[in-house]
Amino acid sequence: MKIKLYNKIDKLGLDHLAGYEIGEDLNNEDGIMVRSANLFEVEFPKELKAIARAGAGVNNIPIEECSKQGIAVFNTPGANANAVKELTLCALFLSSRGVIKGNAWAKTVEENYSKAIEKGKSQFVGPEIYGKKLGVIGLGAIGANVANAALALGMDVYGYDPYISVKAAWSLNRAVKYVANLNELFKEVDYITVHVPSLDSTRGFINKNTIATMKDNVRILNFARGDLINEKDMIEALNTGKVAAYVTDFGSVELNKCENAIVLPHLGASTPESEENCAVMAAKELREYLETGNITNSVNLPSISEPWTSKHRICIIHKNVPNMLAQFATLIGQKSINIENMYNKAKDEYAYTVIDTNDHVEVSDFEKIDNVVRVRLINR
């Protein structure tokens, strides 16, 4: 197996790909590992079977094109959750107290330092977060961790997530007030932190109209994706004072000019621990798929993780349309092949079928079936 690297990947992750050929200058690679590199202009070789993103966001990967070519795309949800949670907590304090401005001003004082500091510090006064209301939008691995931590700091926490998973729900402290309507959250809270993916339904959802429904002097944190916020509207709200502070990992020249915007250089997952966690998880997902066909944390294909005890495993990526399983079964019956196990799951437009057998199989027979995208045979 050949694994091409498009970014530097932590050694602990690469150690999980021992025995593979790994490098930045490979051709005809079986897999790709990437962090932030843009793959939209990359022409993928026909041998490419999978892309593993060492991180949660996949907006640098052409998901639709990968699906059409039968390339599984993996990410690592939760691997950087603690790192982003800690930076979000830091942002809570930075948004309230005049730490950034106070530090910059203190560095300019050169004469009568102690007296000048005591005289000037009042311009950097800010409220405590204890007892204030925090709205957490998105209760996945990061959002749930932030909500629980904020409770421990004495905040009154409101949570919103119409798609919350059972796992996330179990991890959420029962003291979090779950709200079913975003407008209710906007009207109640003093602080808002955003932890949702960038989708057609979420891009720009913090805008002039939604900001108007919020409390005056609200403080907003964004460590998810920059395009969730309408930047023009945010700048206007900062300039008028409607939004008291905006702390984000996704800045611009225009946003940097705003006095009450605190812009960080995309530091959310920039910890050694996070980079290790993401690299290890991505490598394990990639190796498992290449060697067994099992899928965990794919963004474009369904999850299947089943034991494999036969000699051969047929892995079929196909369109999620009627009669596909019947066609597979008919073909297998015509070839007098005995099925040891058969698994099938679907995700949106695509489905994935795994067939285990001890009999010889011709991949080309399955490739001739309409709506089959890709067929792969793995042998023990």
Side-chain angles (χ1 to χ4, degrees):
M1 294 289 184
K2 295 181 180 180
I3 308 299
K4 188 168 185 175
L5 307 181
Y6 276 84
N7 294 104
K8 182 180 178 181
I9 302 297
D10 191 271
K11 182 180 182 300
L12 280 182
L14 300 183
D15 286 346
H16 286 270
L17 297 174
Y20 288 5
E21 185 178 351
I22 303 171
E24 298 179 359
D25 300 318
L26 299 179
N27 295 313
N28 305 322
E29 64 271 15
D30 300 280
I32 284 174
M33 289 193 74
V34 64
R35 291 174 61 196
S36 59
N38 189 336
L39 301 186
F40 274 87
E41 302 301 322
V42 174
E43 184 175 346
F44 300 129
K46 61 181 178 58
E47 292 84 359
L48 183 64
K49 304 167 184 65
I51 298 172
R53 158 80 163 99
V58 290
N59 55 335
N60 57 323
I61 301 172
I63 305 299
E64 185 176 350
E65 184 59 32
C66 288
S67 298
K68 290 178 181 178
Q69 295 184 36
I71 300 168
V73 179
F74 298 90
N75 68 344
T76 57
N80 61 6
N82 188 68
V84 180
K85 176 204 76 174
E86 289 186 359
L87 193 60
T88 302
L89 295 177
C90 174
L92 268 175
F93 294 109
L94 293 180
S95 71
S96 279
R97 309 291 290 273
V99 176
I100 300 293
K101 292 180 182 177
N103 174 256
W105 173 78
K107 289 178 180 293
T108 67
V109 178
E110 295 183 356
E111 297 181 5
N112 300 317
Y113 186 84
S114 296
K115 185 176 181 179
I117 290 295
E118 286 302 315
K119 184 178 179 180
K121 68 180 183 181
S122 60
Q123 61 187 304
F124 308 112
V125 170
E128 299 177 13
I129 67 170
Y130 184 87
K132 302 300 192 302
K133 296 178 179 179
L134 170 68
V136 182
I137 302 175
L139 296 169
I142 296 171
N145 282 344
V146 170
N148 293 341
L151 281 171
L153 292 171
M155 300 192 80
D156 194 10
V157 181
Y158 293 70
Y160 173 82
D161 190 335
Y163 308 108
I164 187 170
S165 67
V166 174
K167 182 179 180 181
W170 275 108
S171 69
L172 199 62
N173 190 303
R174 287 186 295 177
V176 174
K177 298 176 177 65
Y178 187 80
V179 295
N181 188 294
L182 260 182
N183 287 330
E184 179 185 346
L185 182 146
F186 289 149
K187 292 175 182 178
E188 287 289 333
V189 301
D190 308 294
Y191 299 77
I192 294 170
T193 182
V194 179
H195 301 284
V196 297
S198 174
L199 306 170
D200 290 341
S201 59
T202 60
R203 293 185 191 102
F205 86 101
I206 300 292
N207 53 49
K208 181 186 297 184
N209 295 331
T210 53
I211 291 173
T213 67
M214 300 175 188
K215 284 184 174 182
D216 290 342
N217 297 313
V218 65
R219 290 166 165 83
I220 300 175
L221 319 177
N222 177 18
F223 290 88
R225 282 291 176 266
D227 61 6
L228 300 172
I229 313 293
N230 183 306
E231 189 174 279
K232 180 181 177 182
D233 293 349
M234 177 59 71
I235 290 173
E236 181 181 346
L238 287 166
N239 289 336
T240 62
K242 173 67 176 182
V243 175
Y246 177 50
V247 190
T248 182
D249 234 2
F250 313 96
S252 68
V253 173
E254 292 75 17
L255 194 60
N256 268 326
K257 295 177 182 177
C258 289
E259 183 179 359
N260 294 319
I262 299 174
V263 178
L264 305 179
H266 205 178
L267 297 178
S270 295
T271 68
E273 296 86 351
S274 174
E275 292 180 7
E276 289 175 2
N277 292 341
C278 290
V280 169
M281 184 183 291
K284 286 182 176 180
E285 292 166 351
L286 188 59
R287 184 162 202 146
E288 178 74 3
Y289 179 68
L290 293 176
E291 295 186 1
T292 73
N294 284 330
I295 294 177
T296 305
N297 294 327
S298 172
V299 300
N300 63 334
L301 293 174
S303 293
I304 284 185
S305 184
E306 300 293 344
W308 176 26
T309 57
S310 61
K311 293 181 180 179
H312 313 288
R313 172 164 275 191
I314 314 163
C315 303
I316 310 169
I317 299 172
H318 55 92
K319 290 292 188 69
N320 183 20
V321 296
N323 202 38
M324 296 304 294
L325 294 183
Q327 292 184 76
F328 298 153
T330 299
L331 173 61
I332 289 171
Q334 291 173 346
K335 299 292 182 179
S336 298
I337 296 172
N338 183 55
I339 298 175
E340 300 294 329
N341 290 293
M342 186 173 182
Y343 313 101
N344 169 266
K345 284 188 179 180
K347 184 173 186 175
D348 301 325
E349 296 181 38
Y350 293 88
Y352 186 57
T353 299
V354 173
I355 303 171
D356 293 341
T357 178
N358 287 315
D359 299 316
H360 177 71
V361 177
E362 290 291 343
V363 168
S364 58
D365 293 333
F366 292 90
E367 292 175 334
K368 296 173 184 176
I369 299 175
D370 288 342
N371 293 309
V372 167
V373 177
R374 186 169 195 163
V375 185
R376 187 161 62 102
L377 178 63
I378 309 175
N379 301 310
R380 283 196 181 277

